[in-house]
């Protein structure tokens, strides 16, 4: 250090006015807690005020009675909801079956795409072409092509139920998206993890199966859930090809006979009843998993 | 078969480049049973690359590597089988963060050696006890200190019962106060007769533990000999300069 004035070292002096006054830690914490409680109270009150204002404005607007009659007709809702809810079981069935196959098939596509070396080039190419095609084509088009097209061929030994083809179309289409999600996950696992696994003598497959994929999947659960919610909603596309109505088709039929949109609202409610709790559940599971793994993460 | 072939590892004329950068330019080295060889040298001198080549993580460009007389750089060898007999521990631990300590250690014995879960677990718990980690077996790696993680990584490699351990600057990522616990583990291994090839910046440790020290410079072994000679009377000028710079940095 040169000749310039060296910075003066601070000497602790009890009662130094520059120091915070000597409140005990518990007092500081108590005031923080009080501030926190105050924050919550303010949030609750302001939320109630804002929503009340919105409701009052909407309900008192000139066109509200017409809107209410067409979309929020309580009587029609009560009459049509049970049947729509029953039909919704079909949608649940569609997306549960489709999701199982999507998760498996998409993972296979992603793994094929990550295979190294020139030998596997054809498999990589196939995976890329598949993803490009099915991600590029509108899902409704695939549903139409398979749902109307294939049964009309009357091929022997081929299922003729349009719902079968509709679900298959969803599987084919969504697998392309989900494969990309998996691939992003696989590529996000640091190469040193695979190197460590291989250095222990684990085969390429074992290293993928036990080390890379489990970490990759954990990381992509939120985007996977995103696609799963999308899939649930797109089961409504099967309405366009099936004879036996699922929820959306049933809602449409009711809407046409009653000249009222409330049945469609009932359909919307059914979808929300599934997707919102599912999202919260997955958030909670991820947070729990994180707490378990991380030091000091659990507060 | 150990007796008939002498050296545990024998390296002949090893060359390795990354693009245009020549990292190893003709390495010849034999590691005998129970020998502890320390590789010293500046960063970029090729120590890590040499270890990674022996474990076949990096393919070699030229030269041959033998383990117990079998050429492992030959075309068509089963790399998984070779790696099972060569343990390697990395600077950055590389534990599997989604598995408990116990699962980290038992995975390879179960899947690669086909041990039963019970056998693998017994072996793992014995090793954990030996290195004072028994109470950590159900923890996840992220909940352990760096020193504990590195000891687990060493145990994970040992669980494969390798013929040789390769240690790649295993204390370089650790806080200073955690270095000793890891070095003590290595000392204990050396005391138990484990054959080791160690890349290290810890010169004091190398002097204590090594049966032979190799000074790597620009991709060749410039000088090798017993630690007393290398550290007190190095013949090569570059070795002297390297050791001086280490002493200046207060690392010895």
């Amino acid at each position: 250090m040169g000749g310039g004035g060296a910075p003066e070292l601070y000497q602790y002096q009890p009662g130094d006015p520059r120091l915070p006054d000597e409140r005990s830690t518990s007092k500081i914490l108590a005031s923080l807690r009080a501030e926190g409680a105050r924050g919550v109270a303010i949030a609750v009150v302001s939320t109630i005020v804002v929503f009340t204002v919105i409701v009052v404005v909407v309900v008192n607007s000139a066109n509200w009675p017409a809107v209410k009659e067409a979309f929020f007709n309580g009587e029609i809702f009560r009459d049509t909801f049970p049947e729509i809810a029953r039909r919704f079981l079909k949608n649940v069935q569609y997306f549960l079956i489709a999701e199982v196959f999507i998760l498996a098939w998409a993972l296979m596509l992603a793994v094929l795409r990550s295979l190294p070396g020139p030998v596997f080039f054809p498999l990589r190419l196939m995976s890329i072409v598949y993803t490009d095609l099915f991600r590029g084509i509108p899902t409704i088009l695939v549903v139409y092509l398979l749902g109307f097209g294939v049964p009309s061929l009357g091929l022997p030994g081929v299922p003729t139920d349009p719902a079968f083809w509709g679900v298959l179309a969803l599987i084919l289409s969504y697998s392309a998206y989900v494969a990309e999600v998996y691939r992003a996950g696989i590529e996000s696992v640091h190469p040193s993890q695979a190197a460590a696994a291989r250095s222990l003598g684990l085969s390429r497959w074992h290293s993928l199966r036990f080390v890379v994929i489990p970490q990759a999947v954990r990381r992509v659960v939120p985007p996977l859930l995103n696609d799963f919610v999308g899939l649930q909603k797109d089961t409504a596309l099967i309405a366009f090809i099936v004879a036996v109505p699922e929820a959306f088709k049933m809602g449409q039929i009711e809407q046409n006979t009653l000249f009222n949109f409330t049945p469609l609202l009932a359909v919307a409610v059914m979808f929300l009843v599934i997707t919102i709790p599912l999202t919260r559940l997955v958030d909670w599971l991820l947070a729990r998993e994180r707490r378990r793994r991380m030091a000091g993460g659990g507060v | 078969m150990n007796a008939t072939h002498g050296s545990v590892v024998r390296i002949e004329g090893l060359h390795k480049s990354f693009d245009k950068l020549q990292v190893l330019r003709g390495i010849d080295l034999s590691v005998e049973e129970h020998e502890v060889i320390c590789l010293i040298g500046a960063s970029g001198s090729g120590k890590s690359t040499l270890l990674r080549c022996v474990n076949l993580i990096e393919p070699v460009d030229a030269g041959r590597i033998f383990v117990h007389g079998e050429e492992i750089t030959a075309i068509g060898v089963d790399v998984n089988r070779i790696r099972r007999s060569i343990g390697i521990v990395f600077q950055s631990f590389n534990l599997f963060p989604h598995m408990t300590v116990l699962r980290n250690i038992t995975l390879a014995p179960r899947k690669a050696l086909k041990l039963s879960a019970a056998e693998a677990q017994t072996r793992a718990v014995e090793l954990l006890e030996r290195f004072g980690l028994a109470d950590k077996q159900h923890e996840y790696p992220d909940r352990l200190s760096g020193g504990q993680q590195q000891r687990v990584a060493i145990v994970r490699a040992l669980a494969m019962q390798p013929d040789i351990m390769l240690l790649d600057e295993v204390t370089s990522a650790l806080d200073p106060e955690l270095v000793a616990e890891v070095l003590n583990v290595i000392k204990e291994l050396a005391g138990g007769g484990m054959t080791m090839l160690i890349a290290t910046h810890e010169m004091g440790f190398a002097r204590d533990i090594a049966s032979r020290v190799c000074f790597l410079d620009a991709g060749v072994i410039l000088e090798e000999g017993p630690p007393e000679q290398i550290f007190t009377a190095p013949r090569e000028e570059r070795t002297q300069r390297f050791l001086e710079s280490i002493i200046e940095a207060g690392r010895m």
Side-chain angles (χ1 to χ4, degrees):
Chain A
M1 255 179 238
E8 219 174 288
L9 276 179
Y10 176 74
Q11 281 289 315
Y12 174 69
Q13 300 278 336
D16 186 330
R18 288 172 296 177
L19 289 175
D21 52 1
E22 292 176 29
R23 281 189 295 168
S24 70
T25 320
S26 69
K27 265 188 197 155
I28 295 171
L29 281 179
S31 85
L32 278 178
R33 250 192 306 269
E35 267 173 48
R38 221 164 58 106
V40 171
I42 292 172
V44 168
V45 170
S46 78
T47 308
I48 291 172
V49 169
V50 168
F51 277 80
T52 311
V53 168
I54 291 174
V55 168
V56 168
V57 167
V58 168
V59 170
N60 288 313
S61 68
N63 298 319
W64 170 247
V67 172
K68 185 184 175 222
E69 176 56 29
F71 289 93
F72 304 100
N73 187 316
E75 203 177 315
I76 291 180
F77 190 89
R78 270 192 300 278
D79 289 348
T80 55
F81 186 75
E83 180 62 12
I84 283 170
R86 201 175 66 81
R87 300 285 181 174
F88 189 72
L89 290 178
K90 267 282 165 214
N91 296 67
V92 173
Q93 196 189 343
Y94 293 152
F95 70 64
L96 286 182
I97 293 171
E99 183 69 5
V100 171
F101 286 96
I102 289 165
L103 288 176
W105 173 226
L107 184 57
M108 199 167 138
L109 287 169
V111 168
L112 289 181
R113 190 155 175 181
S114 70
L115 291 177
V119 184
F120 295 114
F121 179 74
L123 291 176
R124 279 203 299 278
L125 185 68
M126 272 163 58
S127 170
I128 292 169
V129 169
Y130 177 96
T131 310
D132 285 355
L133 278 184
F134 280 98
R135 212 167 45 153
I137 304 173
T139 310
I140 181 99
L141 206 69
V142 184
V143 171
Y144 259 77
L145 280 173
L146 291 183
F148 284 132
V150 180
S152 75
L153 294 176
L155 298 173
V158 169
T160 53
D161 180 6
F164 171 86
W165 293 104
V167 171
L168 184 66
L170 291 178
I171 293 171
L172 293 176
S173 197
Y174 270 86
S175 297
Y177 292 96
V178 174
E180 285 297 281
V181 171
Y182 277 133
R183 189 166 71 96
I186 288 172
E187 285 177 3
S188 79
V189 176
H190 198 272
S192 63
Q193 285 287 308
R198 299 301 310 278
S199 77
L200 287 163
L202 290 167
S203 65
R204 189 186 299 287
W205 163 243
H206 277 155
S207 136
L208 203 59
R209 161 81 181 74
F210 296 109
V211 175
V212 177
I213 290 177
Q215 294 185 60
V217 170
R218 275 173 177 81
R219 281 180 204 182
V220 297
V221 166
L224 280 181
L225 179 72
N226 219 9
D227 282 334
F228 187 39
V229 170
L231 170 74
Q232 289 169 29
K233 296 188 294 179
D234 274 354
T235 55
L237 296 178
I238 296 179
F240 294 107
I241 55 168
V242 289
V244 186
E246 43 68 79
F248 177 46
K249 181 99 171 184
M250 198 63 217
Q252 276 188 316
I253 292 170
E254 302 274 20
Q255 175 224 326
N256 284 333
T257 44
L258 300 170
F259 300 108
N260 191 289
F261 290 98
T262 307
L264 291 180
L265 198 85
V267 180
V269 167
M270 282 315 301
F271 278 103
L272 291 179
V273 160
I274 298 276
T275 52
I276 294 177
L278 183 69
T279 313
R280 294 294 159 271
L281 174 71
V282 173
D283 282 349
W284 179 76
L285 288 173
L286 285 173
R288 195 185 60 164
E289 145 90 15
R290 194 191 197 79
R291 269 200 304 278
R292 207 158 44 104
R293 269 176 43 191
M294 295 296 171
V299 178
Chain B
M1 71 177 191
N2 299 5
T4 48
H5 294 292
S7 307
V8 181
V9 169
R10 195 169 84 248
I11 301 166
E12 291 178 357
L14 185 61
H15 283 75
K16 173 73 188 175
S17 303
F18 294 105
D19 293 323
K20 290 212 170 63
L21 181 69
Q22 282 200 315
V23 181
L24 299 178
R25 301 182 303 139
I27 298 275
D28 294 288
L29 179 67
S30 286
V31 188
E32 309 302 324
E33 194 113 4
H34 308 309
E35 230 187 347
V36 175
I37 296 188
C38 283
L39 305 171
I40 61 170
S43 298
S45 58
K47 306 184 298 286
S48 292
T49 307
L50 175 57
L51 295 185
R52 293 170 73 88
C53 284
V54 174
N55 195 252
L56 301 176
I57 297 173
E58 297 291 349
V60 307
D61 295 337
R64 305 198 292 173
I65 302 172
F66 299 85
V67 172
H68 286 311
E70 180 192 0
E71 188 189 342
I72 64 171
T73 42
I75 291 169
V77 292
D78 177 359
V79 294
N80 297 329
R81 179 175 59 80
I82 301 299
R83 288 187 181 128
R84 274 176 235 147
S85 61
I86 304 174
I88 186 165
V89 181
F90 305 95
Q91 180 180 336
S92 53
F93 328 142
N94 297 350
L95 293 176
F96 308 133
H98 60 300
M99 296 179 183
T100 61
V101 164
L102 196 61
R103 279 262 291 152
N104 260 282
I105 298 167
T106 55
L107 179 69
R110 276 169 49 217
K111 302 301 169 188
L113 297 179
K114 309 282 180 217
L115 292 191
S116 73
E119 276 177 287
Q121 182 160 345
T122 312
R123 193 186 274 192
V125 171
E126 269 171 24
L127 284 167
L128 285 169
E129 274 166 2
R130 181 170 152 204
F131 296 109
L133 290 161
D135 57 326
K136 304 293 182 203
Q137 53 179 299
H138 300 299
E139 292 281 14
Y140 284 83
D142 289 341
R143 305 188 74 124
L144 303 180
S145 73
Q148 290 166 340
Q149 289 191 49
Q150 193 59 294
R151 277 146 68 202
V152 171
I154 292 172
V155 167
R156 181 173 70 175
L158 286 174
M160 295 297 286
Q161 299 184 334
D163 299 330
I164 181 168
M165 288 280 279
L166 313 174
L167 306 181
D168 186 6
E169 294 182 24
V170 292
T171 57
S172 296
L174 296 176
D175 291 337
E177 77 271 20
L178 302 175
V179 168
E181 61 181 273
V182 173
L183 294 185
N184 286 337
V185 165
I186 302 169
K187 278 182 188 156
E188 162 160 10
L189 285 180
M194 174 62 75
T195 312
M196 285 188 280
L197 190 52
I198 303 173
T200 185
H201 285 300
E202 302 285 340
M203 296 305 148
F205 168 72
R207 192 169 43 190
D208 288 351
I209 196 178
S211 32
R212 207 156 25 118
V213 175
C214 298
F215 174 65
L216 260 75
D217 185 70
V220 294
I221 297 178
L222 194 65
E223 182 167 0
E224 66 171 286
E228 313 82 64
Q229 182 251 308
I230 296 283
F231 288 117
T232 55
R235 282 186 296 269
E236 297 288 334
E237 196 210 328
R238 297 191 68 95
T239 317
Q240 289 166 17
R241 259 195 281 152
F242 171 74
L243 291 173
E244 275 163 18
S245 71
I246 293 280
I247 291 166
E248 263 174 38
R251 294 291 293 263
M252 192 156 109

